[in-house]
Amino acid sequence: MRLWEGRLKTALLLAPLLYLLVAYSPSAFFFIFVAVGIAVAQFEFYGLFFRGRPSPSILVGILLGFLVVFGFYDRASSGAFSTYPSGLLALTVMSVLIYELFFHAEIQNSLAEASVILLGIFYVAWLLGYLVLLRGLSNGRLFVLFLFLTTWSGDAGAYYTGKSLGKRKLYPSVSPNKTVEGALGGWVVSILIALVSKIIFLPMLSTTDAIRLGALMGVVGQVGDLVESIFKRSAGIKDSGSLIPSHGGLLDKIDSLTFNTPVLFYYLILIKGYGSFTLTV
């Protein structure tokens, strides 16, 4: 019961601040906010592999992660859109490999270390960097709020349903505490919140779109959660950190967003035809 109360208190304290950042902050400030959050999440991710060992590889990964997010911000600022920024991709991969070639600590670990650095960049920075692109779309601030509400309400629905009604294990080898009942509860909550969001502040979405997005994000977000769980399971730890009281590390809180953010963005681009950016200073 204390954990439930702690989670609710933390959410109630952070939600207004997050709302103000998303709804009212200038685009440059939001970019900085996202970039700092991604850097923290990358640091937590790299901690799963380096296990407290200081390594310049962590700094390299975080700096290249910042470059990726800045590239997304610059793309949105210019008003251009490309579904595959290949130049940024090539530069990122080449930079990591050149770093390993000339600055490796132990040559026998170069393959594993380069792979981890790249995964931290693309799994954390690249996927979450779509927050910048999403907010830059027409009505993007509303869609970012929709993303957060639908994703985290689904997480909460899965957690509380699982705690109250969960009996059948969902994927015990990866996440022993997750249940089928919890997953279904989270999925239903995601759909309901998507519909409520459409009614209250997203009239440009049809009811069909809201149901589709809620159902899609309700599944994909839980897959993102399980992906982080398998990484933590591999590292033998329960939480990626302790930054957020009663929730764990920042990566623990945003693991569902890593998958849901690009999914929502590309739904809007490819299905709804949103193709122009409207960044404001």
Side-chain angles (χ1 to χ4, degrees):
M1 191 67 180
R2 287 182 179 177
L3 183 58
W4 289 28
E5 292 175 353
R7 281 174 169 256
L8 286 172
K9 287 179 181 177
T10 300
L12 290 173
L13 286 172
L14 294 179
L17 296 175
L18 193 59
Y19 170 76
L20 292 174
L21 278 167
V22 173
Y24 297 108
S25 67
S27 297
F29 190 86
F30 183 76
F31 155 69
I32 293 171
F33 167 71
V34 170
V36 170
I38 285 174
V40 172
Q42 276 189 276
F43 182 80
E44 292 178 349
F45 174 79
Y46 290 134
L48 302 180
F49 178 78
F50 291 101
R51 308 287 183 89
R53 291 180 284 123
S55 172
S57 300
I58 297 174
L59 180 60
V60 169
I62 290 173
L63 289 175
L64 288 172
F66 177 84
L67 176 64
V68 165
V69 183
F70 179 78
F72 282 4
Y73 174 71
D74 181 64
R75 184 171 299 277
S77 299
S78 67
F81 172 71
S82 170
T83 58
Y84 196 72
S86 55
L88 187 57
L89 173 65
L91 177 62
T92 302
V93 173
M94 290 168 61
S95 296
V96 171
L97 298 181
I98 291 171
Y99 164 76
E100 278 299 321
L101 177 63
F102 292 108
F103 301 102
H104 58 266
E106 297 178 2
I107 196 168
Q108 63 268 30
N109 294 329
S110 292
L111 177 59
E113 192 168 286
S115 300
V116 169
I117 296 172
L118 284 170
L119 184 57
I121 295 168
F122 290 109
Y123 165 56
V124 183
W126 193 284
L127 295 184
L128 289 173
Y130 278 96
L131 281 168
V132 176
L133 292 181
L134 181 63
R135 191 177 187 258
L137 291 175
S138 177
N139 298 308
R141 296 170 190 244
L142 298 178
F143 283 117
V144 172
L145 291 174
F146 173 80
L147 170 71
F148 289 165
L149 279 172
T150 305
T151 300
W152 286 330
S153 294
D155 287 349
Y159 177 80
Y160 291 119
T161 304
K163 285 291 184 181
S164 303
L165 305 174
K167 294 181 180 179
R168 291 169 292 181
K169 298 296 184 182
L170 178 66
Y171 201 168
S173 61
V174 171
S175 186
N177 295 325
K178 287 183 172 58
T179 63
V180 173
E181 293 81 5
L184 289 173
W187 183 68
V188 170
V189 169
S190 291
I191 296 173
L192 292 175
I193 293 299
L195 282 169
V196 171
S197 299
K198 176 260 183 298
I199 293 169
I200 295 176
F201 63 88
L202 279 177
M204 70 287 296
L205 279 185
S206 68
T207 300
T208 300
D209 284 323
I211 293 173
R212 284 176 180 169
L213 283 169
L216 180 62
M217 294 165 66
V219 172
V220 173
Q222 294 192 56
V223 172
D225 191 310
L226 287 170
V227 166
E228 197 225 354
S229 292
I230 199 171
F231 291 148
K232 292 188 294 184
R233 192 81 167 165
S234 174
I237 64 171
K238 182 179 182 296
D239 296 320
S240 66
S242 57
L243 180 65
I244 305 176
S246 302
H247 288 264
L250 182 60
L251 187 59
D252 296 321
K253 190 59 186 171
I254 62 177
D255 50 9
S256 300
L257 290 177
T258 58
F259 278 34
N260 270 348
T261 304
V263 163
L264 175 58
F265 178 79
Y266 282 113
Y267 185 94
L268 295 174
I269 291 291
L270 301 176
I271 305 299
K272 298 299 294 179
Y274 283 72
S276 61
F277 293 105
T278 56
L279 280 185
T280 54
V281 178

